[in-house]
Amino acid sequence: MRLAQLAPDVRVSAQNRVARACPRMGVGSSRRGKAAKASAAMATVAGLNVKQVPTKPYEGQKTGTSGLRKKTKDFMQENYLANWIQSLFNALGDEVKGQSLGLGGDGRYFGKEAAQIIIKLAAGNGFKKVVVGQDALMATPAASAMIRRRKLYGGLIMSASHNPGGPDNDFGIKFNYSGGEPAPERITDKIFGETTKVATLNMADIPDIDLSKVGVTKFGDFEVEVVDPVADYLATLSEVFDFGLLRSFLARKDFSLVFDAMHAVTGPYAKRILVEELGAPASCVKDGVPSPDFNGGHPDPNLTYAEELVKIMWAEQAPAFGAASDGDGDRNMILGHKFFVNPSDSVAIIAANAQACIPYFKGGLKGVARSMPTSGALDRVAADLQVPFFETPTGWKFFGNLMDAGKCSVCGEESFGTGGDHIREKDGIFAVLSWLSILAFANKDVPEGGRLTTVQDVAIAHWKKYGRNFFSRYDYEECADADANKMMDHLRAIIAAAKPGDKFGDFVLATADDFEYTDPIDGSKASKQGLRFIFTDGSRIIFRLSGTGSSGSTIRLYIEQYTADPSKLMLDAQEALAPIVKVALEVSKLQEFTSRTSPTVIT
Ligand code: VG1
Ligand code: CO
């Protein structure tokens, strides 16, 4: 590859090599205007030469629901990634000196180049060590586990999660703290502040690291350790689950499963954990080789984008259990034969069964939490178990404080996110092993060839006990920003004028607001977290704009309605929700504002 074809930031590191050969030659940033002519000054940090590369801020480096996500091409602009990383280190200040940093990503395009840039900046800013996954790979939950097990200062995750990858799609970066939790807003706000004034990049003058081999490389007092990206995570999961029980369940000839890694990061994890550790046949892992562009797909495990898995599970002859996870392995979709487990139900079902089926929770749950748009199914389990319950804004970063304070054991989001306090990220394989544990437990006395309790049986039994919260989410992806904002303003005006008792179709308003959250642990506030209409029968309609997209606005409409009527439990969710969906579309004038007649994704 010629130098000119490389990403500009990579060019800087290639130039570093030139600089080593000719130590007196000044190597400056070649970007934008005057900076191009400036030479990088040299400093010494921990026995390393560090170039102080002049840079200029980029606009809009503000993190959203989960880190900074932009088009890959944006990230490949000269110093774009480096600016954000330097801003993060500036925000953290002297605290980072002498610390160890974790690093890894979901294998998407530009990840390996990005890792080299991050390693040089970490060294140049005084970290003593970077622990990086082999080939720059590390699933998000695995990064969280590694940070916790190795007591790292924090970690950087290179991922845009469920967003498509490749040169024409998305890249992303996220910082997690020492508990393994996504940085809270007070830190992300500070990083953003730094991005608006970053002027110098502290780049250690070290060569690129060979990330393909496990091992330690030292430069002065700084070292890089390339690690197996599965090991720490596997160790954590083996402390959570009864692997013996799972092994004997998966050995049954009358049970079979398929796990769709969607060409994303969980392929190697599924092979190690499901196949090598738990004995499932290798053929159960579908699309298990990570690809830089997810084979051209959209690595979002839902009924729309995981259509191949859906086809397998809806065939007459199908495995008993199907699951998929997303780009970075934190999301999950659980399927039975011709049966979809809504993620809001999934977290409720896992919570209800955790104590009996999962050894890590055998002492009972400390509490449970869900994001605001997630259905109230979990609330009913919390009431039944008599454990504390919390409702947080969308995004995993709000669960960490609750878990650190010992107030939450299991939590989830409607967006295919499920987790426990074994780590501080949502965890796709945790959800899969939780479901397999529930099935193993339910079937432990069923002789081989007998009638196995299925995924659907588990869900129906749950609804019979608690009632069913019908739930659906409509996504209108990539709407024009102005149209989406106008619709939200229109809804805000309606909320301002609304009174309890107002009628919306057949639904009577109990309350309407823009969701606000005060963290019960540190008192921090998050406002404007979603417009909600709650009706007297407990039904809800909620509108939010996505904070993870990289172009245009994605409108999310969440709809929920509860029934305890046994004759209605088995209704199709879309049928059951049709009247309230109609109300949502009428009140929002969504079609008028966006000219969209149907959503791009229905969950
Ligand atoms: C979406 C989901 C949210 C999730 C976030 C990150 O955010 O709604 O629940 O935590 O993605 O998930 P938004 O702002 O687009 O609605 V992951 O797996 O993509 O990091
Ligand atoms: Co994800």
Side-chain angles (χ1 to χ4, degrees):
M1 201 182 330
R2 282 183 300 119
L3 203 58
Q5 293 175 323
L6 293 171
D9 275 339
V10 178
R11 216 179 305 146
V12 172
S13 66
Q15 284 168 343
N16 289 351
R17 286 193 287 273
V18 177
R20 268 196 328 283
C22 332
R24 278 163 191 268
M25 195 172 87
V27 179
S29 160
S30 59
R31 185 168 59 90
R32 301 190 302 277
K34 286 185 190 148
K37 282 166 211 112
S39 302
M42 282 283 192
T44 307
V45 175
L48 293 183
N49 283 337
V50 175
K51 281 201 295 294
Q52 295 177 318
V53 181
T55 189
K56 283 184 178 172
Y58 279 95
E59 272 176 23
Q61 290 197 314
K62 194 168 174 51
T63 50
T65 312
S66 179
L68 182 69
R69 291 186 193 174
K70 298 282 177 196
K71 290 287 170 210
T72 311
K73 288 208 168 102
D74 289 336
F75 266 102
M76 290 172 73
Q77 297 173 84
E78 182 165 34
N79 293 344
Y80 189 92
L81 170 72
N83 270 13
W84 190 86
I85 299 290
Q86 183 64 54
S87 301
L88 162 69
F89 294 157
N90 291 347
L92 299 170
D94 281 344
E95 225 176 275
V96 307
K97 305 259 183 299
Q99 302 281 2
S100 299
L101 181 73
L103 176 63
D106 60 12
R108 72 180 58 220
Y109 186 83
F110 188 56
K112 287 183 184 164
E113 291 88 341
Q116 302 292 354
I117 294 165
I118 292 169
I119 290 169
K120 290 182 177 68
L121 283 163
N125 283 279
F127 279 91
K128 75 162 194 273
K129 180 169 182 170
V130 173
V131 185
V132 53
Q134 190 174 15
D135 292 324
L137 286 181
M138 184 80 62
T140 289
S144 187
M146 178 177 83
I147 293 168
R148 293 172 72 77
R149 290 191 90 82
R150 291 174 187 254
K151 301 196 170 29
L152 304 180
Y153 170 81
L156 283 160
I157 301 171
M158 304 174 292
S159 166
S161 190
H162 56 289
N163 299 14
D168 297 321
N169 285 301
D170 290 2
F171 190 78
I173 182 84
K174 182 167 85 152
F175 175 66
N176 283 32
Y177 252 135
S178 49
E181 76 281 22
E185 292 201 324
R186 87 189 133 75
I187 298 296
T188 53
D189 289 348
K190 209 164 161 200
I191 302 168
F192 177 60
E194 294 289 338
T195 64
T196 63
K197 55 187 191 208
V198 59
T200 309
L201 307 171
N202 301 319
M203 283 270 189
D205 188 15
I206 55 175
D208 283 357
I209 308 291
D210 180 358
L211 298 174
S212 68
K213 289 190 198 76
V214 168
V216 177
T217 313
K218 291 192 185 213
F219 304 98
D221 299 334
F222 174 75
E223 67 178 48
V224 179
E225 182 178 357
V226 179
V227 298
D228 167 4
V230 185
D232 286 335
Y233 180 60
L234 172 61
T236 293
L237 290 180
S238 69
E239 289 164 11
V240 173
F241 296 98
D242 181 346
F243 272 28
L245 173 76
L246 291 173
R247 226 172 269 136
S248 53
F249 183 59
L250 294 186
R252 290 183 73 123
K253 299 220 166 29
D254 53 359
F255 182 79
S256 55
L257 81 163
V258 54
F259 178 88
D260 187 351
M262 302 188 83
H263 303 279
V265 77
T266 46
Y269 292 84
K271 285 180 193 159
R272 263 290 264 301
I273 298 167
L274 294 174
V275 178
E276 288 172 30
E277 286 292 321
L278 299 176
S283 58
C284 80
V285 180
K286 178 175 144 41
D287 298 337
V289 178
S291 133
D293 69 345
F294 311 114
N295 206 32
H298 194 142
D300 197 353
N302 59 37
L303 295 171
T304 303
Y305 295 126
E307 57 176 344
E308 288 176 16
L309 177 69
V310 170
K311 224 186 216 163
I312 292 172
M313 295 305 295
W314 260 256
E316 282 318 312
Q317 291 298 317
F321 180 85
S325 72
D326 71 332
D328 61 331
D330 57 356
R331 296 186 176 206
N332 74 90
M333 176 166 73
I334 303 291
L335 302 173
H337 188 203
K338 299 188 185 181
F339 189 79
F340 165 68
V341 182
N342 188 288
S344 297
D345 282 339
S346 180
V347 64
I349 291 169
I350 290 172
N353 291 283
Q355 185 167 13
C357 307
I358 303 172
Y360 179 77
F361 301 114
K362 68 171 183 291
L365 303 184
K366 297 169 189 154
V368 296
R370 62 161 171 85
S371 66
M372 181 275 283
T374 304
S375 93
L378 184 63
D379 313 25
R380 294 172 190 279
V381 174
D384 182 44
L385 297 177
Q386 299 185 315
V387 297
F389 162 80
F390 302 90
E391 182 179 37
T392 59
T394 295
W396 212 260
K397 59 191 167 208
F398 298 98
F399 294 128
N401 273 353
L402 299 172
M403 292 183 161
D404 287 347
K407 291 183 181 302
C408 175
S409 301
V410 169
C411 58
E413 293 191 281
E414 46 64 43
S415 54
F416 299 84
T418 322
D421 65 345
H422 60 299
I423 55 168
R424 296 291 180 273
E425 280 283 2
K426 55 184 181 266
D427 188 343
I429 291 188
F430 163 84
V432 171
L433 298 188
S434 295
W435 268 91
L436 290 175
S437 300
I438 291 169
L439 292 173
F441 184 81
N443 289 302
K444 65 182 183 336
D445 298 325
V446 180
E448 204 149 293
R451 162 76 169 78
L452 282 180
T453 295
T454 64
V455 171
Q456 180 168 1
D457 295 335
V458 171
I460 293 173
H462 188 89
W463 296 335
K464 282 193 175 145
K465 177 166 180 191
Y466 296 96
R468 180 172 175 192
N469 292 70
F470 287 102
F471 180 88
S472 186
R473 182 174 107 182
Y474 285 20
D475 293 330
Y476 299 81
E477 295 171 312
E478 298 197 30
C479 295
D481 291 338
D483 294 351
N485 288 328
K486 270 189 219 146
M487 187 201 81
M488 293 299 275
D489 287 343
H490 160 77
L491 283 164
R492 282 202 183 89
I494 291 181
I495 287 176
K499 293 180 300 306
D502 285 358
K503 284 203 84 180
F504 290 77
D506 290 338
F507 296 87
V508 180
L509 190 71
T511 170
D513 65 3
D514 198 342
F515 182 61
E516 264 192 6
Y517 177 68
T518 304
D519 186 299
I521 313 304
D522 65 14
S524 60
K525 280 198 166 53
S527 53
K528 293 196 164 180
Q529 297 293 324
L531 303 174
R532 33 176 212 175
F533 295 76
I534 305 176
F535 301 104
T536 47
D537 65 349
S539 308
R540 303 190 300 166
I541 51 182
I542 295 154
F543 298 87
R544 266 186 78 245
L545 298 186
S546 156
T548 56
S550 63
S551 59
S553 289
T554 293
I555 298 172
R556 303 207 194 283
L557 162 59
Y558 309 82
I559 314 114
E560 175 181 5
Q561 194 167 7
Y562 175 74
T563 183
D565 178 348
S567 71
K568 295 199 172 138
L569 291 178
M570 293 308 293
L571 283 181
D572 173 73
Q574 296 307 324
E575 256 172 62
L577 293 170
I580 191 165
V581 169
K582 194 161 163 264
V583 168
L585 294 176
E586 276 168 11
V587 65
S588 63
K589 299 197 175 151
L590 188 143
Q591 298 192 354
E592 229 167 90
F593 281 112
T594 65
S595 323
R596 295 289 179 92
T597 49
S598 60
T600 34
V601 178
I602 295 184
T603 297

